[in-house]
Amino acid sequence: GPVAETFRVIQGAMTEEYVRSTQGVFQFELSGDGGGTWYIDLKTKGGSAGFGKPPVTADVVMSMSSADFVKMFTGKLKPTLAFMSGKLRIKGNMALAIKLEKML
């Protein structure tokens, strides 16, 4: 589905430089089609992304619908706007959440 495809793209776009400059683990709690728990690990060497809980404890947990997640990662929904309008809930390290937004 679109969520799995988005995570495949994220995994493919990861570089050592992103991992070095971000140093954060992001967990996504997605509702709706293709939802569930997903993660992006930008802390462990090489980085990783995929379905399930991250290999280490997440620094940031983001909750949103899977449809909004796909829109956000395809540039159709600004993360700041999603957050302000209540479509995106963020728990944890806000500074890291902003770093992830820059990566998008």
Side-chain angles (χ1 to χ4, degrees):
V3 173
E5 186 53 40
T6 303
F7 275 95
R8 266 197 296 279
V9 171
I10 293 166
Q11 175 79 60
M14 266 181 203
T15 63
E16 281 295 340
E17 194 182 331
Y18 273 149
V19 176
R20 245 197 329 274
S21 65
T22 308
Q23 288 298 298
V25 178
F26 305 88
Q27 184 172 321
F28 298 87
E29 295 297 339
L30 304 180
S31 58
D33 282 351
T37 302
W38 296 78
Y39 75 91
I40 300 174
D41 176 356
L42 290 170
K43 192 178 263 182
T44 311
K45 186 168 168 52
S48 62
F51 184 72
K53 291 249 193 267
V56 291
T57 308
D59 300 296
V60 183
V61 178
M62 300 186 189
S63 312
M64 65 193 311
S65 77
S66 52
D68 285 337
F69 171 83
V70 172
K71 280 185 201 153
M72 197 167 85
F73 271 84
T74 52
K76 295 186 181 89
L77 175 65
K78 291 261 178 282
T80 313
L81 187 68
F83 181 70
M84 296 295 183
S85 62
K87 288 179 176 177
L88 168 62
R89 290 189 306 284
I90 303 173
K91 286 196 294 248
N93 186 326
M94 269 324 245
L96 274 175
I98 291 163
K99 267 191 182 179
L100 182 69
E101 178 177 358
K102 288 198 174 75
M103 191 181 111
L104 302 181

